[in-house]
Amino acid sequence: MTRFQRICLVHYHEIGLKGHNRAAFENRLSENLRFLLEGFPVVTIRRISGRLCVFLREGTEYEVACAVSELIRRVPGVARVSCGYTCERDIALMGQAAVAAVHDAGDFTTFKVAARRNHTDFAIHSMEMNVLIGDAVGEAFPDKIVRMKDPDVTVGVEVVESASYVYALSLPGIGGLPVGSAGKVVALMSSGIDSPVAAWRIARRGARVIGVHFSGRPQTASTSEYLVDDIAGVLERTGCIAKVYIVPLGTYQYEIARVAPPALRIVLYRRLMYRAAEAIARKEHAQALVTGESLGQVASQTLENIRATDAAVTLPVLRPLIGSDKLEIINQAKDLGTFDISSVPAADCCTLFMPRSPETHAKLDAVLAAEELYPWEEWIERIVSEAEVHTYRQCGLH
Ligand code: ATP
Ligand code: MG
């Protein structure tokens, strides 16, 4: 049987709606894919009639093609990725390519063919192609049954100006917009479950992420710092994370705990964290802060406390999880691949010097009065200069 060249066809929808920006978005997605697929046997990536096509080197094994598709499907901007073959616009060859594609699709019972031609210069129209290619597949796999409604496998056939593309394996992508198309944010990242998901949600909308992690060092061990580095490693696979600032906050928390009313500690720590994150955002020319708060999830995440922390900064604070339930967040963390890392227990600055009964309805004037007791402005400068910066391989820089 002829060996056809393997391809991954990248489908996107949102990009298609962007009118005159379309070319810019396609170029960015294409560049991001090129960057993330370094090290894989990719010959080239080309635009073909409303899709991007990743051409794989001759002889690329099925498993490698699957790994490429798995990577592609997690890239922001990708709505779907189909893994198959390209061949000439010859219906007999297309039938053979369909058989090869179906072979890759593994165990299944029912199938249908969905063909489309983007150029009417191809003599066979799509209905006819469906029948002819369906026949070829049926001949090679007599046990497979054609079913129009909800088949197990849909064999996609796309005929464009100069070639045709045939696939039977197709995976949903994560959607969103290509990284680099929506500016930069600073995400406050604990080693907990929520904040990596929050950062990821904003990255999926095209933002580049600068992470900030506040550890309890020197009052706690540096475990949380390693965990955040591992979490950033997971995000790095999608090219969305540029840096993480690691900030030891223990000394400052100790001082706050010493001088301020115990009930206000949490709000005061948070205001310090937000301010330090904002100072980093200004340095990095980022436009917003991102946190993993979800309304009412823990006692401190009340509207009053959110208001009291927001009042410490002027940049907008994005909270993509504010309306999410914990279970939804956990499922996203599992899908993203951060859940196991986040489940490792580690003390960070939030677990340090916790009061017995934290204020859940902090009043701003009481908070402001408490902040008179320590030189937070001076601290912010020091905190930013003391931060350790980890860098990651990011795309979207062109
Ligand atoms: P997470 O699972 O993200 O830790 P959480 O449910 O534990 O969230 P909180 O501890 O109240 O909630 O934290 C709320 C948000 O504040 C976090 O989602 C994160 O954005 C930020 N934050 C908390 N602790 C830290 C930290 N040590 N470093 C950086 N940001 C933090
Ligand atoms: Mg936490």
Side-chain angles (χ1 to χ4, degrees), residues 23 95 189 222 232 236 279 300 308:
M189 284 167 57
S222 31
E236 188 179 30
S300 62

Side-chain angles (χ1 to χ4, degrees), residues 286-306:
Q287 315 266 27
L289 305 183
V290 179
T291 77
E293 282 150 317
S294 156
L295 187 61
Q297 190 193 81
V298 289
S300 62
Q301 290 174 16
T302 60
L303 285 177
E304 283 89 344
N305 285 5
I306 285 174

Side-chain angles (χ1 to χ4, degrees), residues 188-190 192-196 212-214 270 273 290-293 297-298 300-301 326 348-350:
L188 285 86
M189 284 167 57
S190 70
I193 294 167
D194 306 336
S195 39
V212 185
H213 173 65
F214 300 97
R270 279 188 187 283
M273 289 199 305
V290 179
T291 77
E293 282 150 317
Q297 190 193 81
V298 289
S300 62
Q301 290 174 16
K326 192 73 185 184
D348 65 12
C349 72
C350 284

Side-chain angles (χ1 to χ4, degrees), residues 108-143:
F108 68 92
T109 313
T110 57
F111 79 99
K112 76 170 177 188
V113 179
R116 64 170 204 161
R117 54 174 187 172
N118 291 30
H119 278 265
T120 42
D121 64 344
F122 187 63
I124 309 170
H125 57 73
S126 45
M127 294 299 274
E128 228 178 318
M129 275 197 279
N130 287 345
V131 173
L132 294 171
I133 291 171
D135 285 349
V137 173
E139 235 169 77
F141 300 92
D143 57 326

Side-chain angles (χ1 to χ4, degrees), residues 19-56:
H20 63 279
N21 283 336
R22 182 182 175 128
F25 279 75
E26 281 169 341
N27 288 341
R28 199 175 283 283
L29 182 57
S30 169
E31 280 307 314
N32 290 356
L33 288 171
R34 211 179 304 278
F35 173 83
L36 293 165
L37 288 170
E38 259 172 40
F40 285 94
V42 172
V43 182
T44 184
I45 300 175
R46 272 209 309 268
R47 211 189 136 249
I48 58 139
S49 179
R51 314 246 189 270
L52 290 175
C53 187
V54 177
F55 293 84
L56 298 176

Side-chain angles (χ1 to χ4, degrees), residues 214-236:
F214 300 97
S215 75
R217 213 164 27 100
Q219 317 289 343
T220 65
S222 31
T223 319
S224 70
E225 299 175 9
Y226 295 117
L227 293 174
V228 168
D229 187 48
D230 285 352
I231 287 168
V234 173
L235 293 174
E236 188 179 30

Side-chain angles (χ1 to χ4, degrees), residues 311-390:
V313 292
T314 54
L315 279 182
V317 181
L318 309 179
R319 295 182 171 86
L321 308 182
I322 198 71
S324 301
D325 284 346
K326 192 73 185 184
L327 216 57
E328 291 165 18
I329 302 171
I330 287 174
N331 286 337
Q332 273 220 328
K334 284 182 177 164
D335 193 43
L336 173 60
T338 53
F339 181 76
D340 290 343
I341 307 169
S342 292
S343 302
V344 176
D348 65 12
C349 72
C350 284
T351 43
L352 197 59
F353 308 125
M354 288 285 272
R356 205 164 290 157
S357 49
E359 182 59 77
T360 50
H361 302 278
K363 295 283 173 295
L364 201 53
D365 46 358
V367 169
L368 293 174
E371 281 178 343
E372 295 283 317
L373 303 170
Y374 52 90
W376 59 264
E377 275 143 318
E378 224 173 85
W379 286 1
I380 298 298
E381 255 177 62
R382 226 178 334 137
I383 286 170
V384 175
S385 69
E386 281 168 2
E388 199 180 287
V389 184
H390 297 195

